[in-house]
Amino acid sequence: MAPTPLELSVFLNPLVPESLAHNTRTISNIRSISGLLLGIAAGILGLESLQGFAFYLGANLFLSALFYFVLAHADPQRYFAGTPGSRGLNESGAVKGRNHGSGAWREIWLGGGLFADALSGFVLGWAGVGGVIR
């Protein structure tokens, strides 16, 4: 019996769970370190209130763009799982492409502790360095 298009797609483009976990962990570590460094930079620049948070969001937008376009080559589904069932079939029964409806882009643009671990590191670095300088 011949494999179905879905089975063939998964066989040709496997997603190994260990690699997915490593990629997610790496993005999280980079975001945590960059959050602290961005906080230190915001403290040194003397940014306050909304200017500091705008600096954080702008710098993370730039960092996410680097991840997406340079590291993932605008194809994040090669490195992240995305939403369940995203590698399935489309309405006509053909195998979906990697970029169609995957949801893997969320891991790069919004994942890795962007609004949790990295944000807390940013605030600690920002307040610590800003307090020492003033």
Side-chain angles (χ1 to χ4, degrees):
M1 178 178 206
T4 65
L6 178 60
E7 291 171 341
L8 189 59
S9 171
V10 172
F11 180 70
L12 293 175
N13 300 312
L15 292 174
V16 180
E18 292 84 12
S19 296
L20 293 175
H22 175 265
N23 294 341
T24 303
R25 199 170 42 249
T26 301
I27 291 271
S28 179
N29 289 341
I30 291 172
R31 286 225 193 261
S32 294
I33 292 169
S34 67
L36 180 63
L37 294 176
L38 288 172
I40 291 170
I44 290 172
L45 292 173
L47 300 177
E48 295 180 356
S49 189
L50 291 178
Q51 292 176 340
F53 287 111
F55 175 74
Y56 173 75
L57 290 176
N60 271 303
L61 180 68
F62 176 72
L63 188 64
S64 295
L66 284 177
F67 288 154
Y68 187 80
F69 292 110
V70 176
L71 295 179
H73 305 290
D75 188 15
Q77 194 167 353
R78 292 179 62 194
Y79 306 102
F80 298 99
T83 56
S86 63
R87 295 170 59 110
L89 304 176
N90 61 16
E91 294 81 25
S92 65
V95 177
K96 287 183 187 177
R98 284 187 180 162
N99 292 329
H100 301 293
S102 71
W105 62 272
R106 287 185 191 101
E107 281 294 322
I108 292 180
W109 291 94
L110 302 173
L114 178 64
F115 297 111
D117 299 336
L119 183 59
S120 63
F122 171 77
V123 170
L124 287 173
W126 185 21
V129 171
V132 169
I133 289 180
R134 296 206 163 140

PDB file of all heavy atoms in Angstrom, residues 4-19:
ATOM      1  N   THR A   4       0.203   7.699   2.183  1.00  0.00           N
ATOM      2  CA  THR A   4      -0.662   8.841   1.892  1.00  0.00           C
ATOM      3  C   THR A   4       0.207  10.089   1.744  1.00  0.00           C
ATOM      4  O   THR A   4       1.371  10.109   2.184  1.00  0.00           O
ATOM      5  CB  THR A   4      -1.680   9.055   3.027  1.00  0.00           C
ATOM      6  OG1 THR A   4      -0.947   9.415   4.205  1.00  0.00           O
ATOM      7  CG2 THR A   4      -2.514   7.810   3.261  1.00  0.00           C
ATOM      8  N   PRO A   5      -0.320  11.151   1.137  1.00  0.00           N
ATOM      9  CA  PRO A   5       0.473  12.386   1.017  1.00  0.00           C
ATOM     10  C   PRO A   5       0.924  12.932   2.366  1.00  0.00           C
ATOM     11  O   PRO A   5       2.031  13.451   2.482  1.00  0.00           O
ATOM     12  CB  PRO A   5      -0.489  13.352   0.317  1.00  0.00           C
ATOM     13  CG  PRO A   5      -1.422  12.482  -0.444  1.00  0.00           C
ATOM     14  CD  PRO A   5      -1.585  11.247   0.385  1.00  0.00           C
ATOM     15  N   LEU A   6       0.098  12.806   3.397  1.00  0.00           N
ATOM     16  CA  LEU A   6       0.481  13.271   4.726  1.00  0.00           C
ATOM     17  C   LEU A   6       1.647  12.455   5.279  1.00  0.00           C
ATOM     18  O   LEU A   6       2.610  12.999   5.803  1.00  0.00           O
ATOM     19  CB  LEU A   6      -0.709  13.210   5.682  1.00  0.00           C
ATOM     20  CG  LEU A   6      -0.435  13.623   7.125  1.00  0.00           C
ATOM     21  CD1 LEU A   6       0.052  15.063   7.173  1.00  0.00           C
ATOM     22  CD2 LEU A   6      -1.682  13.457   7.957  1.00  0.00           C
ATOM     23  N   GLU A   7       1.570  11.132   5.162  1.00  0.00           N
ATOM     24  CA  GLU A   7       2.663  10.273   5.635  1.00  0.00           C
ATOM     25  C   GLU A   7       3.944  10.558   4.877  1.00  0.00           C
ATOM     26  O   GLU A   7       5.034  10.585   5.460  1.00  0.00           O
ATOM     27  CB  GLU A   7       2.276   8.807   5.478  1.00  0.00           C
ATOM     28  CG  GLU A   7       1.176   8.345   6.400  1.00  0.00           C
ATOM     29  CD  GLU A   7       0.678   6.947   6.073  1.00  0.00           C
ATOM     30  OE1 GLU A   7       0.902   6.463   4.955  1.00  0.00           O
ATOM     31  OE2 GLU A   7       0.065   6.347   6.969  1.00  0.00           O
ATOM     32  N   LEU A   8       3.834  10.787   3.592  1.00  0.00           N
ATOM     33  CA  LEU A   8       5.007  11.089   2.775  1.00  0.00           C
ATOM     34  C   LEU A   8       5.633  12.412   3.193  1.00  0.00           C
ATOM     35  O   LEU A   8       6.856  12.535   3.288  1.00  0.00           O
ATOM     36  CB  LEU A   8       4.624  11.107   1.301  1.00  0.00           C
ATOM     37  CG  LEU A   8       5.756  11.197   0.305  1.00  0.00           C
ATOM     38  CD1 LEU A   8       6.718  10.027   0.459  1.00  0.00           C
ATOM     39  CD2 LEU A   8       5.202  11.238  -1.104  1.00  0.00           C
ATOM     40  N   SER A   9       4.805  13.412   3.472  1.00  0.00           N
ATOM     41  CA  SER A   9       5.305  14.715   3.904  1.00  0.00           C
ATOM     42  C   SER A   9       6.050  14.607   5.231  1.00  0.00           C
ATOM     43  O   SER A   9       7.112  15.181   5.402  1.00  0.00           O
ATOM     44  CB  SER A   9       4.144  15.693   4.038  1.00  0.00           C
ATOM     45  OG  SER A   9       4.570  16.881   4.639  1.00  0.00           O
ATOM     46  N   VAL A  10       5.487  13.881   6.186  1.00  0.00           N
ATOM     47  CA  VAL A  10       6.132  13.713   7.492  1.00  0.00           C
ATOM     48  C   VAL A  10       7.416  12.901   7.360  1.00  0.00           C
ATOM     49  O   VAL A  10       8.403  13.165   8.038  1.00  0.00           O
ATOM     50  CB  VAL A  10       5.150  13.066   8.492  1.00  0.00           C
ATOM     51  CG1 VAL A  10       5.846  12.714   9.787  1.00  0.00           C
ATOM     52  CG2 VAL A  10       3.981  13.995   8.754  1.00  0.00           C
ATOM     53  N   PHE A  11       7.430  11.931   6.460  1.00  0.00           N
ATOM     54  CA  PHE A  11       8.625  11.108   6.255  1.00  0.00           C
ATOM     55  C   PHE A  11       9.750  11.924   5.610  1.00  0.00           C
ATOM     56  O   PHE A  11      10.908  11.798   5.996  1.00  0.00           O
ATOM     57  CB  PHE A  11       8.293   9.898   5.374  1.00  0.00           C
ATOM     58  CG  PHE A  11       9.467   9.011   5.107  1.00  0.00           C
ATOM     59  CD1 PHE A  11      10.008   8.235   6.113  1.00  0.00           C
ATOM     60  CD2 PHE A  11      10.049   8.976   3.859  1.00  0.00           C
ATOM     61  CE1 PHE A  11      11.107   7.433   5.884  1.00  0.00           C
ATOM     62  CE2 PHE A  11      11.148   8.174   3.607  1.00  0.00           C
ATOM     63  CZ  PHE A  11      11.673   7.400   4.625  1.00  0.00           C
ATOM     64  N   LEU A  12       9.414  12.772   4.653  1.00  0.00           N
ATOM     65  CA  LEU A  12      10.434  13.554   3.957  1.00  0.00           C
ATOM     66  C   LEU A  12      10.927  14.741   4.768  1.00  0.00           C
ATOM     67  O   LEU A  12      12.062  15.179   4.610  1.00  0.00           O
ATOM     68  CB  LEU A  12       9.893  14.034   2.612  1.00  0.00           C
ATOM     69  CG  LEU A  12       9.623  12.943   1.588  1.00  0.00           C
ATOM     70  CD1 LEU A  12       8.975  13.524   0.344  1.00  0.00           C
ATOM     71  CD2 LEU A  12      10.894  12.201   1.228  1.00  0.00           C
ATOM     72  N   ASN A  13      10.093  15.288   5.628  1.00  0.00           N
ATOM     73  CA  ASN A  13      10.454  16.454   6.431  1.00  0.00           C
ATOM     74  C   ASN A  13      10.177  16.165   7.906  1.00  0.00           C
ATOM     75  O   ASN A  13       9.253  16.716   8.482  1.00  0.00           O
ATOM     76  CB  ASN A  13       9.640  17.673   5.991  1.00  0.00           C
ATOM     77  CG  ASN A  13       9.883  18.019   4.553  1.00  0.00           C
ATOM     78  OD1 ASN A  13      11.017  18.099   4.125  1.00  0.00           O
ATOM     79  ND2 ASN A  13       8.812  18.202   3.797  1.00  0.00           N
ATOM     80  N   PRO A  14      10.974  15.318   8.543  1.00  0.00           N
ATOM     81  CA  PRO A  14      10.682  14.958   9.935  1.00  0.00           C
ATOM     82  C   PRO A  14      10.983  16.102  10.894  1.00  0.00           C
ATOM     83  O   PRO A  14      11.864  16.921  10.656  1.00  0.00           O
ATOM     84  CB  PRO A  14      11.613  13.776  10.190  1.00  0.00           C
ATOM     85  CG  PRO A  14      12.765  14.026   9.286  1.00  0.00           C
ATOM     86  CD  PRO A  14      12.180  14.667   8.048  1.00  0.00           C
ATOM     87  N   LEU A  15      10.221  16.159  11.963  1.00  0.00           N
ATOM     88  CA  LEU A  15      10.467  17.103  13.041  1.00  0.00           C
ATOM     89  C   LEU A  15      10.827  16.278  14.274  1.00  0.00           C
ATOM     90  O   LEU A  15       9.981  15.628  14.869  1.00  0.00           O
ATOM     91  CB  LEU A  15       9.222  17.952  13.313  1.00  0.00           C
ATOM     92  CG  LEU A  15       8.844  18.936  12.211  1.00  0.00           C
ATOM     93  CD1 LEU A  15       7.524  19.606  12.531  1.00  0.00           C
ATOM     94  CD2 LEU A  15       9.920  19.972  12.030  1.00  0.00           C
ATOM     95  N   VAL A  16      12.086  16.275  14.646  1.00  0.00           N
ATOM     96  CA  VAL A  16      12.577  15.489  15.771  1.00  0.00           C
ATOM     97  C   VAL A  16      12.293  16.257  17.064  1.00  0.00           C
ATOM     98  O   VAL A  16      12.671  17.420  17.190  1.00  0.00           O
ATOM     99  CB  VAL A  16      14.088  15.221  15.610  1.00  0.00           C
ATOM    100  CG1 VAL A  16      14.618  14.405  16.752  1.00  0.00           C
ATOM    101  CG2 VAL A  16      14.370  14.563  14.273  1.00  0.00           C
ATOM    102  N   PRO A  17      11.611  15.631  18.036  1.00  0.00           N
ATOM    103  CA  PRO A  17      11.244  16.336  19.269  1.00  0.00           C
ATOM    104  C   PRO A  17      12.436  16.934  20.018  1.00  0.00           C
ATOM    105  O   PRO A  17      12.330  18.027  20.569  1.00  0.00           O
ATOM    106  CB  PRO A  17      10.555  15.261  20.110  1.00  0.00           C
ATOM    107  CG  PRO A  17      10.053  14.273  19.125  1.00  0.00           C
ATOM    108  CD  PRO A  17      11.044  14.284  17.999  1.00  0.00           C
ATOM    109  N   GLU A  18      13.561  16.253  20.027  1.00  0.00           N
ATOM    110  CA  GLU A  18      14.741  16.781  20.721  1.00  0.00           C
ATOM    111  C   GLU A  18      15.234  18.062  20.056  1.00  0.00           C
ATOM    112  O   GLU A  18      15.639  19.006  20.725  1.00  0.00           O
ATOM    113  CB  GLU A  18      15.872  15.745  20.757  1.00  0.00           C
ATOM    114  CG  GLU A  18      15.580  14.543  21.624  1.00  0.00           C
ATOM    115  CD  GLU A  18      14.760  13.474  20.901  1.00  0.00           C
ATOM    116  OE1 GLU A  18      14.599  13.548  19.667  1.00  0.00           O
ATOM    117  OE2 GLU A  18      14.242  12.583  21.591  1.00  0.00           O
ATOM    118  N   SER A  19      15.199  18.102  18.732  1.00  0.00           N
ATOM    119  CA  SER A  19      15.627  19.302  18.015  1.00  0.00           C
ATOM    120  C   SER A  19      14.655  20.455  18.236  1.00  0.00           C
ATOM    121  O   SER A  19      15.072  21.605  18.390  1.00  0.00           O
ATOM    122  CB  SER A  19      15.748  19.012  16.516  1.00  0.00           C
ATOM    123  OG  SER A  19      16.747  18.065  16.278  1.00  0.00           O
TER     124      SER A  19
END
